[in-house]
Amino acid sequence: MGYEDPAFFRRLFKRTTGMAPGAYRKRFCIPDFARS
């Protein structure tokens, strides 16, 4: 399950975290071995 409107999610994410999703991913990079 996810958000159907990516633009809405980006606005909500930025309001909550103070940064864009891409910037958040770069700053708090999750190593490949930790993803699953």
Side-chain angles (χ1 to χ4, degrees), residues 3-29:
Y3 285 87
E4 291 184 17
D5 183 1
F8 174 76
F9 175 77
R10 278 192 299 274
R11 284 195 305 274
L12 187 65
F13 190 90
K14 187 162 187 172
R15 191 179 339 152
T16 304
T17 64
M19 55 192 350
Y24 186 91
R25 274 194 303 273
K26 282 182 186 170
R27 184 164 184 187
F28 303 103
C29 181

